[in-house]
Amino acid sequence: MPDVEAPEIELDEDAPTFRRRLALVVVLITLFGAAIAYLHEQNSNFEDNAARDGQMASIRGFGQQVEALTEYGFDYNVFVERQLLERRAVVASSRQRSTLDSSLAALYGGESDRFTQLRDAVGESTPVQDFDAAQQRDGELQTKPDLQRLKQGVFANKANDYGDKADAYVALLTVLAVSLFLTGLSLTVGGRGRYLLAFPGVAIAVICVGWAVVITTGGITSVSDQAITLAVDGQRSQLSGDAQTAVDKYRAAVKDSPQFGTAWARLADAEFLAGVSDSAGNQFQSLSDEQATRRAVDAGEKAISLGEGDASLLSSIGFYHFTLGDYDRAEVLSQQALEGNDQFPPLVFNLGVVQVAKGDASAARTTYENGLELLADKRFDLLRQQIIGAARTDLEIAVDRTPNSKDLAQEMKGLLASAEAPILVVDPGPDRAAENSSVTDVKISTDRFRVFASYTAEGFDVNTPLINVWYFRPLDRNGQGPFEQVFLLDRPTFTGNNPALQTDPVENRSCLPGGDYRVEVYAGRDLLASADEHFTDSPLGALVVAGGEDVGFTLCRPDKWTEPDITLQPGSLAFANPDDSAQFVLVFSFPIGAGSGANGSTLLNATIQAAVEQQQIKVEGVPAAGEELLGRTVDGVDVTLQTTSVTGVTSLGDSVRITGSVGSDDVVRVVIISAANPSELDTVRSELVNSIRFLRVPDTVGSNGG
Amino acid sequence: MTDAVVPSWEGVRERRLARLQRIDAKLVIAVLIGLVSVTGAFITWKSSQLGEKATDRDRQAIAETVLQEQSNANIETQLRDEQQAFVQYKENLTNARLLDAQADRLAADGLTAEAAQARDEAAVQREVANSLASFTLDTTYVTFDDTTGVPTDFRVDQRRGDLRSLDDQAAKLNPDRTAAQAVDYRRRTQRLEGWTIALVLAVLLLTIATITRNARARPWIASAAVVIYVASASIALLGD
């Protein structure tokens, strides 16, 4: 009997049970998938809604911007008309006072009244009554468009968040499909091998459940309407120059809605601005208080962490890091900013100055050259000098924080000087100084609240332009820290046969603040010499500007001096020292009426005589001719005015000086000052009379009462 | 030898219950699963249709917003132009009144030539004001002082309202309403999608009914699934 080998039969006893369970698992995974699909659909819907609302807010913001501009244009035009009528009233009133003909005086008086009433009638059509109100009005009108801009940002963030969630659900569904595939595939395999497919499939499904919980519980940017309103208010405060109130508003906004990235970004900007003591007149601010800068960095980093990432913000926060000496973070952010926008020179220079501070000469040269190449574009014509000024201040900061970077910083300043020259002169001359040329004996001086430099320039061809670059550091810095570059003071000088040169006297703002002044003299990109000088504040105390176009002159008056309780004619200003009744200044000007019946000189003398009699002044000596007053033409050119001055003593024993001038424009300009004694009178004269600028004087000064 | 007698059921009537019991329950459940799946597909298709409508409304809302803002910008520009003209109109007429008064004073002072000149100038100012009004201003919106006859106010809000009502095309637009429609369509798609979960739950129960070893429980589980299916499909489709 042959051996019969029993066939090997693989018993698969648990197959039915396995299939039964697996069927259940598959349906459970499908149920889970249906729930995920529902959540995906929900988030996609929210994304679509938010995206649409964002677009609508964007369009509305643009429309409201147009409306705001139109309304502001109307308000400002009416304000201008009102000012013109006021000026007519002032002129008529002045003519009334100056004419010797009573009937003409009546005519001028009637005109003055008429223009005053017309001014009031026109002025009531606009809330703008002065320049501050104009700025405030602009800020108010910007609130509606700003509200829409912020809403657009919030909707965009929401759309992004919902979109991210929806995308995550799609990814989850894809993984879940893999789970189902493995589970289904296990049905086609017999024996224990099927568990190798089924278990991973189930495990993936379980992981997906956990993943879904994470996605679903993930937050969506939540910003309340209240927070948006606060941010709008903050922007309005910032536009009107009140950075501290803006900071308070933004802080309230981010406290209300901590995920409000735009408010954090604005807070960073406002914090930095709140610490700025603007002394350079540059819209690109570089120097702020250290604590304010740290707060700005914190707020800015928070904004970045919330997804705010426009190039301007990144570059600003990078710059704040730079000013605090954190060069690595500054470089990273500046690089990121340039990835977003590499066509705006300030962003390029922000990276360049970090490279200077880090001593990376090669990179810094490349960056600055790129920046200057961009800066040469026509669209930066109006900003070019400001950008160069800010870049110089940044380099001052780099040298202050890292003294080793001085030589490299100077090299970059040379490039900037070379770029500034074409702005100041038609033919900027050679890019390098002539061999054996020199500038020596540089000295900084002041003249009537203006600063100028004098020096000896030798070895240059005739008519070679030299660029004088000015820096300033205010008194409150106590001689510490970096200078700020004041681009408004920069002027050229031209070499001639005489080696002694002097720059044009220029104002560092109206009242020449005390502090450290520095001038650097460049020929092309070569620094030839520099000098520093320290000036103190006025002995009369802090000075502030008074007057303006409406009265026809400006002057610097001590902050604590007040307007006396007297009625002044239009076009006049008077201030008195409340602590010393003898100290007083009165400035007025008026055009000579056609019917005055006298020439300018006669009328000026009559005016001075009237003042002498009115004040019962005992005149000392003879009237002195001179050039004691300064005027400014409509083109902004300073011209000295020929003057006649009388000094005397009042019945109370106070010293008085009356200085008058009449120009070819037939306008009489008079300044009266008084003090307790001649010495104090000299101080008042030096500090106040020298600060007066009569506006719109003629280019050439004509005969005057001398 | 005769053939064996073969028993026959012919003529025997099967009871209805027995006939029903003879139907393979699993087959019925499979059919039900198919039916639920088809219903789910239909609901998904309907949801997709509503989603498309929502997208259309989104685009329409944006287009309406553009038109509305264009209209607003036009109206505001026209309004400010008219307001500017009003200020000039007011200035001219006020000036005319003041010149007349000045002329009276000058005449009283014996300056007859100057008085005549002032009156002439007043007449010119009035003429200029009237010409200006005819070109640029609708004086029905101007408020005049009852005693002096001088314009005092331009009723901006009323003029704006009228300009808006005159703009037929823009007056018909309501982007917020259109956006609300889009939101409503999306809410409906969301609702439909939600009911598909219930359908899958029905499939789950039907699957359990298929695989269960407890034959007694099978019809009950399947019945529960059918109830869920019918209820959810009805609410989803009829309740929309």
Side-chain angles (χ1 to χ4, degrees):
Chain A
M1 190 176 171
D3 292 338
V4 176
E5 193 176 341
E8 285 185 18
I9 300 171
E10 191 181 339
L11 294 174
D12 196 0
E13 293 173 346
D14 61 345
T17 308
F18 175 79
R19 289 198 184 102
R20 203 173 287 126
R21 287 175 181 167
L22 212 61
L24 204 57
V25 167
V26 166
V27 180
L28 278 171
I29 291 174
T30 307
L31 181 64
F32 174 59
I36 295 299
Y38 172 81
L39 291 170
H40 166 256
E41 184 70 20
Q42 185 185 46
N43 283 279
S44 290
N45 284 343
F46 289 156
E47 180 191 7
D48 290 342
N49 285 341
R52 179 206 57 230
D53 290 342
Q55 287 183 62
M56 288 170 70
S58 171
I59 295 161
R60 283 180 174 145
F62 185 73
Q64 286 170 1
Q65 180 76 46
V66 172
E67 290 168 26
L69 285 174
T70 312
E71 190 167 350
Y72 179 74
F74 163 75
D75 283 334
Y76 194 79
N77 286 342
V78 175
F79 164 64
V80 169
E81 182 63 21
R82 178 193 180 280
Q83 293 304 98
L84 295 178
L85 289 166
E86 181 167 288
R87 197 69 204 154
R88 281 171 171 265
V90 168
V91 170
S93 171
S94 302
R95 285 182 173 160
Q96 181 194 11
R97 276 182 286 131
S98 66
T99 189
L100 303 174
D101 183 329
S102 61
S103 37
L104 274 179
L107 180 67
Y108 289 138
E111 287 207 335
S112 177
D113 288 346
R114 181 164 61 88
F115 286 126
T116 303
Q117 289 181 60
L118 261 184
R119 177 202 67 189
D120 294 341
V122 168
E124 67 188 18
S125 299
T126 175
V128 177
Q129 302 293 318
D130 54 42
F131 286 109
D132 286 343
Q135 200 174 4
Q136 196 179 349
R137 179 75 176 145
D138 191 28
E140 282 168 9
L141 290 171
Q142 288 300 322
T143 54
K144 280 169 75 178
D146 191 39
L147 181 73
Q148 295 298 335
R149 276 195 292 271
L150 286 177
K151 278 187 173 177
Q152 190 273 334
V154 170
F155 282 129
N157 281 339
K158 275 191 176 178
N160 284 339
D161 291 346
Y162 283 124
D164 289 347
K165 271 195 167 192
D167 291 346
Y169 284 127
V170 169
L172 192 152
L173 283 172
T174 309
V175 176
L176 208 58
V178 173
S179 162
L180 269 178
F181 172 74
L182 290 174
T183 313
L185 200 64
S186 68
L187 290 171
T188 65
V189 180
R192 295 185 184 279
R194 62 190 169 214
Y195 291 106
L196 291 175
L197 294 171
F199 282 149
V202 173
I204 289 171
V206 171
I207 290 170
C208 284
V209 171
W211 188 8
V213 170
V214 171
I215 297 170
T216 308
T217 55
I220 294 292
T221 301
S222 169
V223 177
S224 71
D225 287 346
Q226 168 72 5
I228 293 176
T229 305
L230 284 165
V232 169
D233 290 345
Q235 179 83 338
R236 183 170 55 184
S237 299
Q238 199 167 332
L239 282 175
S240 62
D242 187 356
Q244 191 52 53
T245 303
V247 165
D248 294 341
K249 296 284 183 187
Y250 292 140
R251 280 186 187 155
V254 297
K255 189 178 178 188
D256 179 276
S257 299
Q259 293 174 311
F260 195 1
T262 308
W264 283 106
R266 288 186 175 187
L267 175 61
D269 193 32
E271 289 276 19
F272 189 80
L273 284 178
V276 164
S277 59
D278 178 27
S279 56
N282 198 322
Q283 66 167 293
F284 300 101
Q285 305 287 353
S286 296
L287 274 170
S288 182
D289 171 67
E290 185 183 336
Q291 291 308 315
T293 308
R294 289 193 187 283
R295 288 194 296 274
V297 163
D298 291 343
E301 289 289 358
K302 178 73 179 173
I304 293 169
S305 73
L306 287 170
E308 295 291 318
D310 69 86
S312 175
L313 174 72
L314 292 171
S315 190
S316 292
I317 307 304
F319 183 77
Y320 302 160
H321 277 291
F322 156 74
T323 64
L324 295 173
D326 182 1
Y327 298 145
D328 289 337
R329 180 65 178 154
E331 189 170 23
V332 167
L333 289 174
S334 299
Q335 292 276 19
Q336 286 177 4
L338 290 184
E339 286 166 18
N341 179 6
D342 62 354
Q343 295 300 306
F344 191 50
L347 305 189
V348 179
F349 292 136
N350 277 356
L351 173 63
V353 76
V354 178
Q355 291 165 334
V356 167
K358 291 181 85 171
D360 190 349
S362 166
R365 283 187 197 108
T366 307
T367 305
Y368 272 88
E369 281 164 7
N370 286 344
L372 290 171
E373 197 175 320
L374 288 172
L375 196 58
D377 192 282
K378 197 167 174 51
R379 67 198 157 114
F380 299 116
D381 280 356
L382 295 177
L383 282 177
R384 191 171 295 124
Q385 210 177 355
Q386 288 200 55
I387 294 171
I388 290 172
R392 285 191 183 117
T393 302
D394 299 349
L395 287 166
E396 286 287 311
I397 297 170
V399 174
D400 181 69
R401 305 289 189 262
T402 314
N404 288 342
S405 64
K406 187 175 181 183
D407 291 343
L408 185 55
Q410 185 53 55
E411 184 183 333
M412 299 306 123
K413 282 161 82 175
L415 293 176
L416 294 169
S418 189
E420 189 185 26
I423 305 171
L424 300 175
V425 293
V426 177
D427 178 10
D431 194 41
R432 307 305 294 247
E435 211 172 320
N436 298 323
S437 59
S438 68
V439 170
T440 54
D441 303 327
V442 184
K443 188 173 184 314
I444 298 174
S445 311
T446 63
D447 168 41
R448 304 188 211 204
F449 286 76
R450 298 172 301 170
V451 67
F452 67 94
S454 53
Y455 45 78
T456 305
E458 293 173 305
F460 295 96
D461 292 337
V462 173
N463 218 26
T464 300
L466 302 177
I467 302 302
N468 302 281
V469 179
W470 288 91
Y471 295 83
F472 172 64
R473 184 170 56 198
L475 273 181
D476 59 13
R477 301 219 184 116
N478 299 316
Q480 303 294 315
F483 278 77
E484 286 180 70
Q485 207 273 303
V486 193
F487 71 95
L488 292 168
L489 306 187
D490 294 355
R491 294 286 187 283
T493 47
F494 295 91
T495 57
N497 295 324
N498 184 354
L501 294 180
Q502 181 182 311
T503 64
D504 289 338
V506 282
E507 285 181 355
N508 180 21
R509 293 178 285 169
S510 298
C511 300
L512 194 71
D516 300 309
Y517 285 79
R518 175 190 292 165
V519 64
E520 291 177 348
V521 186
Y522 287 86
R525 67 173 69 175
D526 291 327
L527 174 67
L528 299 171
S530 73
D532 288 11
E533 189 62 67
H534 178 81
F535 297 116
T536 56
D537 262 344
S538 166
L540 297 177
L543 300 177
V544 293
V545 180
E549 289 290 337
D550 52 342
V551 290
F553 61 85
T554 64
L555 86 157
C556 296
R557 68 169 176 90
D559 194 18
K560 63 180 182 181
W561 284 32
T562 54
E563 292 183 41
D565 190 18
I566 56 173
T567 304
L568 292 170
Q569 293 294 331
S572 309
L573 280 181
F575 297 98
N577 185 350
D579 301 329
D580 182 350
S581 59
Q583 290 189 344
F584 177 85
V585 59
L586 168 65
V587 187
F588 60 92
S589 66
F590 58 88
I592 303 168
S596 64
N599 65 25
S601 304
T602 308
L603 191 65
L604 175 63
N605 288 336
T607 304
I608 292 174
Q609 187 59 38
V612 166
E613 287 170 9
Q614 191 180 7
Q615 300 292 321
Q616 297 180 321
I617 297 168
K618 186 180 174 189
V619 176
E620 296 173 342
V622 295
E627 293 184 337
E628 294 185 25
L629 298 178
L630 201 62
R632 183 160 292 157
T633 68
V634 288
D635 298 327
V637 177
D638 288 350
V639 292
T640 51
L641 306 179
Q642 293 180 359
T643 56
T644 299
S645 298
V646 171
T647 308
V649 180
T650 66
S651 55
L652 299 172
D654 297 336
S655 295
V656 177
R657 186 175 178 86
I658 304 170
T659 304
S661 171
V662 57
S664 59
D665 56 348
D666 281 343
V667 174
V668 175
R669 301 174 173 92
V670 179
V671 179
I672 302 174
I673 55 171
S674 80
N677 54 59
S679 167
E680 289 184 8
L681 188 71
D682 280 346
T683 304
V684 173
R685 179 183 162 194
S686 162
E687 297 301 314
L688 299 188
V689 179
N690 281 341
S691 75
I692 297 170
R693 305 286 184 266
F694 286 101
L695 306 175
R696 302 183 298 275
V697 300
D699 285 342
T700 52
V701 181
S703 64
N704 78 73
Chain B
M1 189 173 163
T2 59
D3 293 338
V5 176
V6 178
S8 169
W9 292 105
E10 195 175 348
V12 176
R13 193 172 174 187
E14 191 179 18
R15 282 187 303 148
R16 181 172 294 178
L17 181 62
R19 200 165 62 226
L20 284 173
Q21 281 175 336
R22 199 168 59 82
I23 298 170
D24 188 346
K26 289 186 180 179
L27 187 64
V28 172
I29 291 171
V31 170
L32 279 172
I33 288 174
L35 196 60
V36 173
S37 301
V38 169
T39 308
F42 178 74
I43 287 176
T44 305
W45 171 79
K46 196 151 194 283
S47 165
S48 169
Q49 293 286 94
L50 290 171
E52 277 301 310
K53 284 186 179 177
T55 305
D56 290 345
R57 290 293 185 276
D58 281 348
R59 290 171 186 151
Q60 189 183 333
I62 290 165
E64 285 179 7
T65 308
V66 170
L67 288 173
Q68 195 177 53
E69 288 307 318
Q70 283 175 339
S71 169
N72 285 343
N74 282 339
I75 287 169
E76 287 300 317
T77 306
Q78 183 178 344
L79 196 64
R80 298 303 163 194
D81 284 346
E82 289 185 14
Q83 215 178 347
Q84 185 83 48
F86 163 75
V87 171
Q88 187 63 54
Y89 177 69
K90 178 181 178 180
E91 184 180 340
N92 289 342
L93 287 182
T94 307
N95 202 6
R97 185 181 66 82
L98 293 170
L99 280 165
D100 279 339
Q102 192 179 351
D104 292 344
R105 282 196 301 274
L106 290 169
D109 290 345
L111 298 166
T112 48
E114 285 82 356
Q117 196 179 350
R119 284 195 209 289
D120 285 349
E121 180 60 23
V124 169
Q125 292 287 330
R126 279 197 192 86
E127 188 57 33
V128 168
N130 292 333
S131 298
L132 181 74
S134 66
F135 285 122
T136 59
L137 191 63
D138 186 344
T139 50
T140 54
Y141 295 95
V142 175
T143 306
F144 292 89
D145 186 301
D146 291 338
T147 52
T148 62
V150 166
T152 55
D153 192 26
F154 183 67
R155 294 192 295 280
V156 175
D157 292 337
Q158 188 186 343
R159 178 64 176 149
R160 183 187 286 116
D162 288 351
L163 283 172
R164 283 194 176 146
S165 63
L166 286 171
D167 190 345
D168 286 346
Q169 202 177 356
K172 291 175 196 160
L173 302 173
N174 190 346
D176 288 329
R177 171 80 185 135
T178 309
Q181 285 176 352
V183 171
D184 187 55
Y185 279 127
R186 293 211 165 85
R187 186 189 54 73
R188 288 164 65 188
T189 65
Q190 200 59 46
R191 183 175 159 282
L192 288 174
E193 293 281 338
W195 286 112
T196 60
I197 297 174
L199 292 182
V200 178
L201 183 67
V203 172
L204 173 69
L205 290 177
L206 289 170
T207 307
I208 292 170
T210 306
I211 64 178
T212 184
R213 285 175 173 155
N214 186 344
R216 284 188 174 180
R218 184 171 294 138
W220 294 106
I221 297 170
S223 299
V226 169
V227 168
I228 290 172
Y229 162 63
V230 171
S232 56
S234 303
I235 295 170
L237 296 172
L238 301 178
D240 184 36

